Amino acid sequence: MPQLRRLARVALALPLAALLIPLALLRATPLSADVPPTEAPAVTGVAAENFDRSVSPSTDFYRFANGGWLARNPVPADRSIYGVDTEVQKQNEARLRGILESQAVAEAPVGTERRKLGDYYWACNDVEGLDYHGFRSLQPFLGAIGALRSSAQLAGLAAAGARVRAPDDGLAPLFSFYSEQDPRDATRVIGTVNQGGIALSSRDYYIAADAASRKIRAVYLAALTATFRLLHDSPSQAAAEARATLEIETAIARASRTADALRDPVANYHPLSPAQLAALAPHFEWPAYFAGIGLAPARTARIDVGQPEVVAALDRLIVREPLAAWQSYLRWHLIFGRGYALPQDFEKVQFALNRELTGTRAEPLRTSLCTRAVNRVMGFALGHIFVERYFSPAARERARTEVASIKAALKADIATLPWMSPPSRRAALAKLAKLNTSKVGYPDRWRDYSALRVRRDDFLGDVFAAAQFQFDREVAKIGKPVDHNDWDFPPQTVDAEYDPSLNEIVIPAGILQAPFFDPAADDAVNFGGIGAVVGHELTHGFDDEGSQYDGDGNLRAWMAPADAKKFHARIACIVAQADAYRVLPGLHLNGKLVVGEATADLGGTVLALRALEASERGKPAAPAIDGFTPLQRFFIGYAASWRTSVRPEYERMMALSDPHPPAPYRTNATVSDMDAFYTAFAIAPGTPMYRASADRCRIW
Ligand SMILES: [Zn+2]
């Protein structure tokens, strides 16, 4: 860490507001959510009340398994979709909030992680304190921006602005800078310059000519003006600053690549030497920028510039725009998205803008906003307590065993796949052997937050310090070997991923919760739930996209072109099935859009079932529970992991744009391609769920 250890200081003269318990905390739910779980009741993992017994498994398996749950869980008024992810997310958030509320009150010894968690949460909830302090923590930055005398000094200010932004939020001035695994040398971490520098999330907001985009620009300009007014600029000055800022951002947006063009990893990779960088943007003082972010010259020998033409355009802009315009732009980029840490008037301006951008009608509860804020900056400290309370080492062991058994099932599958030639098969097995499956549950080594400073009476300062802590941590990786034990996201996250550049699968404790995974339930239900998720992610490493990366994570295609062709011929079956599916009257699924995800669903579920069968081999047959055989419970567990209520409007939008098919399809189409499903529920020819054996797709 290039930073000195700075312990949290106890302020001597606390303002009155900070001595009172923040109102938002008083209004929050009492500490009941923080009671550690008592002995969990033994469960089968199959909840009788979730079924709809009036629907036969042969007619609509999704409704049979989930109809009761769907009837009890309509979409809430403030949402368009309410599903199993939201359910688990809400539960996790309530638990995290409970942990933070108890830490805020407990006041653990100064300097400890628990104290920092509590102080950050407290400071965030203290909205009266935010009003009291105003923007005093902005002053050093505003002063430096005000002292800008030549464009040569711009790089230093860009560095200072970048350091107080989390590296991946895209809101740093001019461009984003972060560290990444070198796509052509997966053992090393290099620095990366990526297009950014605009506050609104898409270039289209600045450029598109339609009425909606024009309206958003008008609202945006009003938000800019109002913010400069809040910084005590005169009305005419504020209006001029707003226009200058929008002009610079619009120029950056015009030069930027479209979202589509950013998806090609090869076209967005340009490792440059310092001399090449200087030639690309001669008016930007790169050495000053790197010094400003704490990156020594020895570690800048090779910098990946994702979009060189965008950086060249920035250079022209530096020459063209007057210094005063840059000053306005830099002030805005310091403040944008920080309304929640400033006096409430700033947040009101920001919310009016958000309302236009996202359609959100109400601001989230302050306690909820603050729980997420702590989770973003101290996720591992929070996750450490979360795991102690809600995810045992025994549960991790069980989940790890499950993941390993699914990896073994994939190995057996690749060894016998009829469409893969021997060279591709060898390459696939070599890649699989290197696949890291150790990131299950939570990390063995926890992140060290000792260099992070948190004060109860300076929330904006805390937000800056936390961003800087994250930024410095990213930059510290540059020039070093890739750390394969480092976790990217904290363990309470409700997600799972396969990362092709690290060739690893991550299954955090956040998703290892019922109905995905229930340590108290039997294997069959869990293999149908989290097992299918793991299988889904694993197959992504070996499909048409995953086969562009080798086992070390280098961008190097290994599948023989003839095999890739055979793979595509096979998945034509999935495309046809999806094309035939009616989402709503007059609207069918787009097979080409969903084929990748639907293929992974089928492959993942097939692998999970094989892994379950392998784990039961040689053991006495598992008994029926609640009247269901293990095979039936496997499919019920799979269906339960998809239960989702959704509004038709949203369903329509997703069918048009989302590569993930809707939940009923993910359930019914997948199981009706699997022979075992027909055995499990005696599905007879002529029923809606029946597909003739020759029509069932088989990929993995
Ligand atoms: Zn997927």
Side-chain angles (χ1 to χ4, degrees), residues 536-537 540 596-597 600-601 660 666:
H536 174 115
E537 296 301 331
H540 274 319
E597 293 305 320
D601 282 346
H660 300 88
R666 299 188 85 162

Side-chain angles (χ1 to χ4, degrees), residues 40-392:
V43 291
T44 62
V46 175
E49 70 272 19
N50 287 347
F51 289 85
D52 181 348
R53 301 278 187 174
S54 71
V55 179
S56 155
S58 313
T59 307
D60 183 342
F61 185 65
Y62 175 78
R63 290 229 150 245
F64 160 75
N66 295 322
W69 185 91
L70 293 169
R72 282 200 319 280
N73 292 282
V75 184
D78 61 339
R79 292 176 190 267
S80 43
I81 181 165
Y82 185 82
V84 68
D85 293 348
T86 344
E87 220 184 344
V88 177
Q89 231 144 24
K90 266 175 72 178
Q91 175 187 272
N92 280 7
E93 194 182 301
R95 289 171 168 179
L96 297 175
R97 202 181 65 221
I99 291 169
L100 289 172
E101 276 161 13
S102 65
Q103 297 309 323
V105 177
E107 299 202 57
V110 171
T112 60
E113 262 178 21
R114 283 171 190 253
R115 177 60 178 262
K116 290 176 188 178
L117 286 170
D119 284 351
Y120 201 96
Y121 185 68
W122 178 292
C124 176
N125 275 292
D126 181 13
V127 287
E128 288 81 7
L130 298 182
D131 281 340
Y132 179 91
H133 296 303
F135 46 88
R136 68 170 185 200
S137 291
L138 284 180
Q139 293 301 357
F141 295 96
L142 295 176
I145 293 169
L148 182 66
R149 289 294 169 267
S150 84
S151 61
Q153 293 169 314
L154 203 54
L157 291 175
R163 263 187 105 191
V164 292
R165 286 287 181 188
D168 53 0
D169 75 0
L171 293 173
L174 297 175
F175 52 79
S176 294
F177 186 86
Y178 49 87
S179 65
E180 67 168 6
Q181 192 178 341
D182 189 336
R184 297 283 184 201
D185 176 6
T187 62
R188 311 293 298 174
V189 179
I190 56 172
T192 299
V193 172
N194 221 22
Q195 73 177 43
I198 52 176
L200 303 182
S201 56
S202 160
R203 69 194 285 280
D204 297 342
Y205 287 125
Y206 297 90
I207 303 168
D210 58 285
S213 302
R214 283 208 303 271
K215 183 171 179 222
I216 284 175
R217 282 199 287 279
V219 173
Y220 183 52
L221 196 63
L224 277 159
T225 311
T227 302
F228 288 121
R229 284 286 289 138
L230 289 172
L231 291 175
H232 305 325
D233 296 339
S234 73
S236 61
Q237 208 182 345
E241 287 190 274
R243 280 194 305 273
T245 303
L246 183 59
E247 198 179 302
I248 289 185
E249 289 199 332
T250 306
I252 296 176
R254 278 188 203 288
S256 299
R257 292 190 186 177
T258 62
D260 261 14
L262 291 176
R263 288 176 58 196
D264 179 346
V266 178
N268 287 280
Y269 173 67
H270 307 88
L272 301 185
S273 68
Q276 289 171 315
L277 206 50
L280 181 67
H283 301 93
F284 187 76
E285 296 289 325
W286 293 100
Y289 180 82
F290 292 134
I293 60 170
L295 193 58
R299 297 196 291 149
T300 61
R302 191 171 148 92
I303 298 286
D304 173 19
V305 177
Q307 305 77 26
E309 80 284 7
V310 181
V311 173
L314 283 174
D315 193 69
R316 291 192 294 275
L317 208 56
I318 289 171
V319 177
R320 194 184 80 195
E321 290 291 330
L323 282 183
W326 285 113
Q327 287 171 316
S328 306
Y329 170 86
L330 289 169
R331 277 150 65 96
W332 174 243
H333 275 258
L334 191 60
I335 290 170
F336 180 74
R338 257 65 187 273
Y340 70 101
L342 282 159
Q344 294 175 71
D345 287 342
F346 283 85
E347 179 66 350
K348 279 180 199 143
V349 170
Q350 207 112 63
F351 181 69
L353 176 59
N354 280 346
R355 204 181 155 106
E356 196 59 38
L357 289 170
T358 64
T360 319
R361 285 284 162 266
E363 286 189 82
L365 284 179
R366 189 76 194 177
T367 49
S368 179
L369 183 151
C370 292
T371 302
R372 287 176 218 164
V374 181
N375 198 44
R376 278 199 302 274
V377 300
M378 268 182 282
F380 288 88
L382 189 52
H384 200 161
I385 304 177
F386 175 87
V387 161
E388 276 172 14
R389 295 201 182 162
Y390 303 109
F391 194 74
S392 68

